Amino acid sequence: MKNVKVNMKYVLRVVLALCFSTLLFATPKQAEAQEAGWQWIDGHYYYLNSDGTYRTGWIWDDDYNAWFYCEDPGRKVWDSSLNDWVAGNNPGAMYTGWHLITIPEDKEAFWFYFYDNGVMVSNCWAWIDNAWYGFWANGKMCRGWIWDHSYNAWFYCNGSTGVMYQGWHPFNDEIRLAHWYYFYDTGVMVSNCWIDGYWVAENGQSVSCDPVLM
């Protein structure tokens, strides 16, 4: 057989040309896989890993210094219109707005709220849908009595809806007696002062059983 001389410079040029063309004409999926992070795809934001797969569940983003949540595949989501759990339609999609999320260690579902940019609301009072809501540092919506150290005062959020109380509200004690409490527009519970002609004691209870109807 004849000896064939190989031009290594020519071979190297061909290999480099093929690699360059692969980068130029990569498929959309391959191009997405090359850029990890948040990507806008088909009307939703997704967090892509470097291999092009979607990240799901809770995601901490150092750039935002905040938590996000992307829909878990196979996990049911709460549909408020149906008042029931249903299968999710967009696995991997970033959450925005209100979402009821089950916390496995608590064996219970809690309401969370995510801004339009996906950031989870936490450790603050937030004005949402024409009402005030409180959120703990872990993002769970507040319910019931809340002591706020920044105000040095008590607040109350509805046990079902989470809406912060304002104005007069009745509470039943252990023996089903109604006691009325008053909350300023800021949500702070009133104590040791007169409101609408009724004395409110130090514990927040009005001396009158029913200041609204009397």
Side-chain angles (χ1 to χ4, degrees):
M1 296 178 64
K2 294 182 179 180
N3 291 328
V4 179
K5 293 183 178 181
V6 178
N7 189 328
M8 293 305 298
K9 289 184 178 180
Y10 174 78
V11 172
L12 183 60
R13 288 175 183 173
V14 172
V15 171
L16 289 174
L18 288 173
C19 292
F20 185 66
S21 64
T22 301
L23 291 174
L24 283 179
F25 301 103
T27 64
K29 196 171 186 64
Q30 289 173 329
E32 291 170 4
Q34 293 166 10
E35 296 183 13
W38 295 106
Q39 301 288 336
W40 180 259
I41 303 172
D42 297 331
H44 297 279
Y45 273 107
Y46 296 83
Y47 194 97
L48 268 64
N49 297 309
S50 57
D51 61 359
T53 57
Y54 298 147
R55 192 179 300 183
T56 60
W58 290 104
I59 300 170
W60 174 261
D61 192 320
D62 288 326
D63 293 334
Y64 288 88
N65 194 35
W67 284 101
F68 294 73
Y69 192 92
C70 290
E71 186 176 306
D72 279 334
R75 175 175 287 189
K76 291 188 175 182
V77 298
W78 182 257
D79 190 323
S80 298
S81 62
L82 299 176
N83 197 37
D84 197 6
W85 293 94
V86 298
N89 295 323
N90 299 293
M94 182 188 78
Y95 275 1
T96 60
W98 286 108
H99 285 278
L100 190 61
I101 301 175
T102 301
I103 307 300
E105 54 269 27
D106 293 331
K107 297 180 180 180
E108 186 179 352
F110 297 89
W111 283 103
F112 294 80
Y113 188 84
F114 301 84
Y115 291 122
D116 290 342
N117 63 358
V119 170
M120 181 194 77
V121 180
S122 64
N123 201 32
C124 68
W125 295 99
W127 179 256
I128 303 170
D129 301 330
N130 297 316
W132 284 102
Y133 296 84
F135 295 89
W136 299 110
N138 58 14
K140 296 176 183 177
M141 181 189 74
C142 298
R143 294 182 293 183
W145 287 104
I146 302 154
W147 176 259
D148 191 324
H149 292 281
S150 60
Y151 287 89
N152 195 35
W154 285 100
F155 294 72
Y156 190 88
C157 290
N158 185 281
S160 299
T161 66
V163 173
M164 183 187 77
Y165 275 7
Q166 297 168 304
W168 287 106
H169 286 276
F171 291 81
N172 291 326
D173 60 17
E174 293 80 359
I175 56 176
R176 308 299 293 175
L177 292 177
H179 297 283
W180 285 83
Y181 292 75
Y182 187 87
F183 302 84
Y184 290 124
D185 290 342
T186 58
V188 170
M189 183 196 77
V190 173
S191 63
N192 270 340
C193 67
W194 292 93
I195 295 291
D196 297 336
Y198 300 95
W199 176 252
V200 178
E202 185 176 0
N203 61 4
Q205 295 179 3
S206 170
V207 172
S208 170
C209 290
D210 197 340
V212 175
L213 298 180
M214 287 184 63

